[in-house]
Amino acid sequence: MRIYNTLTRRKEEFVPLEEGKVKMYACGITVSGEAHIGHGYQALIYDIMRKYLQKLGYDVTYARNYTDVDDKIIAKSHETGIPADKYAAMMIEEIDRVMREFDVDDPTIWLKATENIGNIIDFVQALIDKGHAYPTECGDVYFDVHSFPDYGMLSRRTIEEMMAGVRIEVGEEKRDPADFALWKAAKPGEIYWESPWGKGRPGWHIECSAMNRAAFGDQIDIHGGGRDLIFPHHENEIAQSESLTGKQFAKYWTHNGLIKVNGQKMSKSLGNSLLLEDLLKQYTNEAVKFALLQYSYRQDINITDNLFPDAEKHLTSFYTTLDAVEKKYGYGSVGNKAIDDAFNDAMSDDFNTALALSRLFGLFKTMQQKLDAGDPSCAEDACQIRRTYSLLGLFKKKSSDYLAEVAAKSPKSAEADVIPDDIKALADQRWAAKKERNWAVADQLRADLDAKGYVIKDSKEGYTISRKS
């Protein structure tokens, strides 16, 4: 088993700290809003990592956290009038519901920042005692970045590079602009806890270090999260934890790629966030998983209009073949070990779901050929595919149930397919321009239709027009 380690920038043979056991932690969601597709993807990736390591025979303890107190949550509290703790609890309940619909299993251990305030305070005090942190007169506590010589080891940047353009804000009592907050003094109207430094709350970075240590002790095997967490969050976790313990915090650092929408980074400010719940109203959870897992987990994923519809089409085709095989020959019982071996070869190379999924097309083609030839061994192929690929969250449903679910998520009426007269007129003008080889006009009209939310597809017989997904 080889894993790409962000710390060393290479794939390494996986050797856990303790033989046969794996301690694994992934940074979870800051519950300031609903779960979007990026949250779902990250949760899916680390659920799969955990399950594959278990398949290899490891005893895996997987911890995942909710950040349930931070600046964004406090801002939402002020905006909604709901106390910060109640707002966070409400959002956790909602996110849990959506994740269950997405069919991602819970970790072994759930951790919440607000349930670890005592651990966080003890951690901060220990850093002060060791000379790595300092309190201020206003009640804040900062980590002294220059007290940790290896700061920057994960992101491979110097302190000067990381802090270019950063200045001490008004009211801050930092010794150096690079220092970061471990404890923040409470402002009027903010949620707070009593501490040796006054009323306040933890900084974001210290939460994960303290919760990790409470769950696992000084060291863990795998620490993960999105690539956007490398700096500053994971860099700061290393500095805090290793300054306190003098030991390597995490042996392997793993980071999944980010989600883009039509080439742009997904963000609330751009208005292009895709809520996970909205996607699951349109597509099956297996189709969403299939679409995302076609990429290496370390790649960014560009969500285009066709990504999820194409995934649904592929899975519908696969399930149709499964349905035909199982109706004719029933459910196999022995399986086909070669299918499982090929899957393991792919997954043992840094959890290569893209390669594992690419093999499905050939497997189903062979299975269809066996079915057409009257070869009953196709039932064992179907049996093995279900057993093996269920680890990725696929082929877990009865074929008829899956196909019925796809049909139920299709548009309920023909209204969605009705093309307005003005759009038809533009499409006709474009077709006429194309026949006259007036390519500039045809291209402009296509662009106009695209901007209005319609897609044109040409054929020898003419064209078809449809709304974008």
Side-chain angles (χ1 to χ4, degrees):
M1 176 72 212
R2 296 194 305 156
I3 297 178
Y4 183 86
N5 190 349
T6 306
L7 188 65
T8 60
R9 300 295 195 272
R10 66 175 183 268
K11 290 181 184 178
E12 299 178 0
E13 193 69 26
F14 179 68
V15 181
L17 294 165
E18 183 180 352
E19 187 176 355
K21 295 185 178 181
V22 176
K23 294 185 287 187
M24 173 176 160
Y25 182 99
C27 291
I29 302 173
T30 298
V31 294
S32 57
E34 296 177 81
H36 55 61
I37 186 60
H39 296 139
Y41 177 56
Q42 196 250 30
L44 173 65
I45 288 301
Y46 287 96
D47 185 36
I48 287 171
M49 286 186 182
R50 178 257 300 266
K51 287 174 178 172
Y52 188 65
L53 290 168
Q54 287 175 328
K55 184 179 184 183
L56 294 181
Y58 291 107
D59 178 9
V60 182
T61 304
Y62 167 38
R64 187 174 180 83
N65 77 296
Y66 273 129
T67 295
D68 57 348
V69 57
D70 88 326
D71 293 339
K72 293 179 182 178
I73 294 168
I74 290 171
K76 281 289 187 180
S77 171
H78 291 326
E79 179 184 320
T80 61
I82 303 171
D85 56 343
K86 289 184 171 56
Y87 179 85
M90 177 181 71
M91 291 311 305
I92 287 172
E93 184 177 350
E94 178 64 15
I95 291 166
D96 281 346
R97 180 187 64 78
V98 175
M99 287 299 180
R100 281 191 284 273
E101 188 178 343
F102 191 40
D103 190 28
V104 172
D105 289 346
D106 285 342
T108 318
I109 304 171
W110 269 121
L111 297 166
K112 296 176 184 175
T114 57
E115 294 175 355
N116 283 270
I117 298 298
N119 293 325
I120 292 168
I121 289 172
D122 290 345
F123 201 117
V124 173
Q125 186 60 58
L127 286 172
I128 294 172
D129 294 343
K130 281 178 167 281
H132 291 287
Y134 57 92
T136 67
E137 290 186 4
C138 68
D140 296 322
V141 181
Y142 290 99
F143 183 87
D144 179 358
V145 166
H146 290 280
S147 75
F148 184 65
D150 290 329
Y151 192 75
M153 67 166 75
L154 187 67
S155 59
R156 302 282 181 95
R157 289 185 272 178
T158 65
I159 294 176
E160 290 71 27
E161 288 171 335
M162 288 186 270
M163 303 314 296
V166 174
R167 298 289 183 269
I168 296 176
E169 299 294 332
V170 175
E172 290 184 326
E173 297 177 347
K174 293 182 182 182
R175 296 174 183 171
D176 188 278
D179 296 347
F180 58 88
L182 301 174
W183 187 262
K184 296 184 176 184
K187 297 174 183 175
E190 287 188 350
I191 188 171
Y192 67 84
W193 288 265
E194 296 288 351
S195 80
W197 319 288
K199 295 176 180 179
R201 58 189 171 86
W204 176 34
H205 312 300
I206 194 66
E207 294 176 358
C208 286
S209 285
M211 288 188 288
N212 241 309
R213 193 163 190 244
F216 294 120
D218 292 346
Q219 295 179 290
I220 60 173
D221 295 288
I222 299 173
H223 196 317
R227 196 178 63 244
D228 55 330
L229 298 182
I230 294 174
F231 180 82
H233 187 52
H234 288 165
E235 195 75 73
N236 291 352
E237 279 193 65
I238 290 174
Q240 296 160 164
S241 296
E242 298 191 7
S243 291
L244 181 67
T245 68
K247 302 174 184 177
Q248 183 181 35
F249 175 36
K251 190 172 182 181
Y252 303 91
W253 285 88
T254 59
H255 294 92
N256 61 275
L258 306 180
I259 300 289
K260 297 181 179 180
V261 179
N262 292 319
Q264 287 187 305
K265 181 180 177 181
M266 190 173 66
S267 71
K268 290 181 181 178
S269 62
L270 293 174
N272 63 352
S273 292
L274 295 176
L275 295 183
L276 185 56
E277 184 173 26
D278 290 343
L279 277 173
L280 295 176
K281 288 176 182 176
Q282 293 180 270
Y283 309 104
T284 64
N285 58 33
E286 291 194 16
V288 175
K289 291 175 184 178
F290 187 92
L292 299 174
L293 297 176
Q294 292 177 90
Y295 297 81
S296 161
Y297 77 90
R298 290 189 285 118
Q299 280 183 277
D300 288 348
I301 297 177
N302 185 32
I303 295 179
T304 61
D305 293 334
N306 294 326
L307 181 65
F308 297 115
D310 286 350
E312 194 82 274
K313 288 176 186 176
H314 292 317
L315 273 179
T316 299
S317 173
F318 292 157
Y319 263 107
T320 300
T321 301
L322 286 176
D323 190 45
V325 168
E326 290 161 354
K327 280 179 178 176
K328 185 169 183 179
Y329 294 110
Y331 292 89
S333 58
V334 178
N336 181 339
K337 187 173 181 296
I339 292 174
D340 197 56
D341 288 344
F343 176 85
N344 291 343
D345 285 343
M347 292 294 288
S348 289
D349 183 13
D350 195 33
F351 309 102
N352 195 340
T353 60
L355 178 57
L357 288 190
S358 71
R359 288 173 172 163
L360 281 173
F361 294 91
L363 292 174
F364 274 94
K365 182 178 180 181
T366 299
M367 190 160 49
Q368 184 65 53
Q369 290 171 343
K370 288 182 179 181
L371 177 64
D372 294 342
D375 182 349
S377 69
C378 61
E380 302 305 334
D381 293 352
C383 170
Q384 191 66 61
I385 286 172
R386 282 190 178 277
R387 286 179 187 170
T388 296
Y389 283 85
S390 64
L391 189 144
L392 303 183
L394 304 176
F395 308 115
K396 296 175 68 175
K397 300 172 183 177
K398 188 177 178 181
S399 299
S400 57
D401 290 345
Y402 181 86
L403 297 172
E405 184 182 353
V406 172
K409 290 179 183 289
S410 298
K412 297 295 188 298
S413 72
E415 288 182 9
D417 297 323
V418 174
I419 307 300
D421 289 342
D422 60 328
I423 298 298
K424 285 182 180 177
L426 284 176
D428 287 340
Q429 290 174 32
R430 177 191 165 276
W431 184 249
K434 189 176 179 184
K435 288 200 294 185
E436 294 170 4
R437 298 181 177 276
N438 193 338
W439 309 120
V441 172
D443 289 344
Q444 181 58 55
L445 289 167
R446 178 189 281 275
D448 292 344
L449 288 164
D450 181 78
K452 293 176 182 292
Y454 292 85
V455 177
I456 287 277
K457 291 186 179 179
D458 294 326
S459 66
K460 292 180 180 179
E461 292 74 31
Y463 69 86
T464 58
I465 184 168
S466 60
R467 296 180 190 270
K468 287 184 181 179
S469 302

